Amino acid sequence: MEGKIRVLVAKPGLDGHDRGAKIVARALRDAGMEVIYTGLHQTAEMIVQTAIQEDVKVVGLSLLSGAHMTLFTDVTRILKEKGMDDVLVLGGGIIPEDDIPKLRESGIKGIFGPGTPMDDIVSFIKENVEE
Amino acid sequence: MKDLGQRVLDGEQRAIAKMITLSENNSPEAAREMKVLHPASGRAQIIGITGVMGAGKSTLVSELAMEYRKMGKTVGIIAIDPTSPFTGGALLGDRIRMTKLTEDEGIFIRSMGTRGMLGGLTSAVYDVVEIMDAAGKDIIMVETVGVGQAEVDIIKIADTTVVVLVPGLGDSIQAIKAGIMEIADIYVVNKADRPGFDRIMAEIESLVDLTTEAGKRSIPIIPTVAKTGEGIAELRASVDEHLELLNGTNEFQANRRRRYEAELIEIIRKRLMNLIFDESIFKERIEGLIDQIEAKEKDPYSAAEEILSQVLK
Ligand SMILES: Nc1nc2c(ncn2[C@@H]2O[C@H](COP(=O)(O)OP(=O)(O)O)[C@@H](O)[C@H]2O)c(=O)[nH]1
Ligand SMILES: [Mg+2]
């Protein structure tokens, strides 16, 4: 069976630009993945609904503002409610050190700060996706 | 838990999504479940939307989907983007223009990459259409960039094919040359708000005049501004009118038969290709034969016959 890793790259919240998310999306595509890109202003519900329909193995969330805690944990909570807890959830952006334990606890496995080399994200996904 | 096929028939979103993945990945389980789904398919209205990158196809699909939802119909959308032949990856961005549809339970959207030749894009799309159909979607739209034979084949799945053109890209003549115009049941001239609109309308009108046989239906040309929803109601009416017209003739049945014929051939082709190129016994054989062809000890035809006679044994 010739599976491909399908990843949803989403930008929750209301803040303005998605440059970072796009860079990640392109890097994952160049690493041979199928990347579903949904653009700005996604609610947690929209992200989960998209993850279900696209049957992705990975959801990458990008965030700039301070509202990440609730937005990130909303996504993992709704994923769980919908029985999608086998999805690997990653978060990227400016995330205060103090918040990291709580995010991990909520089910966000990979947390990547600004300037993380793309190769690190790619290999993290390849190592952690359940076959 | 119930079988996956049964859950698809019940319209369960996760089951539909899983089933599509299995089919895209050529899993044997997909072949098994498709047997369950096929008897329940054949009711959906299938609309193909094609045209160059940036023509506004996704925006148009989104608006058209909402138009059908207003009529109480459920909608499945298959949005296809090219897979990079170099990395095998794909950036599937059609959903950017479809965010209005995301939270509507009556709409199911799936993005697909064209993947490789041996993976067989066409057969996967046949399956996905059939899966959404069996899951009870009334309308199924397939969006694809209109380049290459594979895409033209995909569009043959549709009952009605809409070719989207836009002003100012200078590509309408190219599209004609590429043979894409031959597949149109309806032309849309999108971005009617943009300069050059009159010119492209005139171009297409004259093309339609030129190619319409006496007494035959002339292909409608619908101007739209997908961004604002202008012209979408007219497009919806035109699509349904085309289907009605088909229904009144033998064309509809003939269309569907052509589709099943193409699907059957595609499945056989894929199975044979997999048999020959994925099985390791043949892999070495093929390498050896290529050596011989290169050394002029054997010609390619004899080599192919050798492989085929072994497969067919
Ligand atoms: N001016 C104008 N822009 C449009 C119209 N329809 C779509 N667009 C824009 O054209 C761009 C490409 O649209 P998209 O639906 O992604 O095209 P696709 O590549 O054919 O699917 C987007 O920026 C749309 O907002 C229209 O009717 N008028
Ligand atoms: Mg598109």
Side-chain angles (χ1 to χ4, degrees), chain B residues 19-40:
Chain B
M19 185 65 215
I20 293 174
T21 303
L22 290 174
S23 170
E24 271 197 301
N25 293 346
N26 283 324
S27 144
E29 201 186 338
R32 213 164 44 237
E33 301 293 333
M34 285 311 294
K35 290 172 194 165
V36 181
L37 299 182
H38 180 72

Side-chain angles (χ1 to χ4, degrees), chain B residues 52-59 79-81 93-95 97-98 143-145:
Chain B
V52 292
M53 196 99 78
K57 296 179 297 296
S58 299
T59 316
I80 303 165
D81 278 321
D94 294 310
R95 273 183 178 265
R97 315 276 169 231
M98 302 184 188
E143 173 192 335
T144 166
V145 176

Side-chain angles (χ1 to χ4, degrees), chain B residues 120-139:
Chain B
L121 161 70
T122 334
S123 69
V125 179
Y126 287 127
D127 281 356
V128 180
V129 166
E130 204 153 299
I131 291 163
M132 289 186 176
D133 188 346
K137 296 286 174 265
D138 300 313
I139 307 286

Side-chain angles (χ1 to χ4, degrees), chain B residues 83-143:
Chain B
T83 294
S84 155
F86 304 108
T87 65
L91 197 51
L92 311 175
D94 294 310
R95 273 183 178 265
I96 297 171
R97 315 276 169 231
M98 302 184 188
T99 49
K100 285 192 229 168
L101 312 179
T102 309
E103 286 178 282
D104 182 344
E105 292 270 337
I107 295 179
F108 190 101
I109 307 171
R110 182 64 171 230
S111 313
M112 293 177 76
T114 49
R115 299 203 182 176
M117 242 269 288
L118 289 180
L121 161 70
T122 334
S123 69
V125 179
Y126 287 127
D127 281 356
V128 180
V129 166
E130 204 153 299
I131 291 163
M132 289 186 176
D133 188 346
K137 296 286 174 265
D138 300 313
I139 307 286
I140 297 168
M141 294 190 230
V142 183
E143 173 192 335

Side-chain angles (χ1 to χ4, degrees), chain A:
Chain A
M1 197 166 125
E2 57 245 56
K4 261 189 212 294
I5 299 178
R6 287 171 65 85
V7 186
L8 169 60
V9 173
K11 175 85 181 59
L14 293 174
D15 53 340
H17 74 79
D18 56 351
R19 209 172 308 134
K22 277 183 181 153
I23 291 170
V24 172
R26 274 195 289 269
L28 299 183
R29 174 200 58 190
D30 293 342
M33 300 177 197
E34 282 184 357
V35 183
I36 292 99
Y37 186 69
T38 51
L40 296 163
H41 308 323
Q42 300 284 300
T43 65
E45 284 81 7
M46 286 161 89
I47 290 168
V48 173
Q49 188 66 8
T50 302
I52 291 174
Q53 294 180 352
E54 299 288 354
D55 194 28
V56 293
K57 289 252 192 306
V58 185
V59 174
L61 302 172
S62 147
L63 217 63
L64 296 170
S65 70
H68 57 266
M69 278 306 278
T70 45
L71 280 167
F72 278 0
T73 54
D74 278 354
V75 171
T76 52
R77 178 177 51 78
I78 303 171
L79 278 172
K80 266 186 213 127
E81 282 168 17
K82 302 263 181 179
M84 298 274 290
D85 22 13
D86 54 340
V87 172
L88 176 69
V89 184
L90 316 175
I94 304 160
I95 296 156
E97 277 298 317
D98 296 352
D99 289 343
I100 292 177
K102 254 184 278 173
L103 287 174
R104 285 200 193 285
E105 198 183 310
S106 85
I108 297 188
K109 293 230 176 68
I111 295 170
F112 302 99
T116 307
M118 288 304 147
D119 286 349
D120 290 6
I121 302 178
V122 168
S123 39
F124 185 87
I125 290 175
K126 286 188 171 160
E127 277 158 27
N128 285 278
V129 161
E130 291 173 34
E131 276 308 323

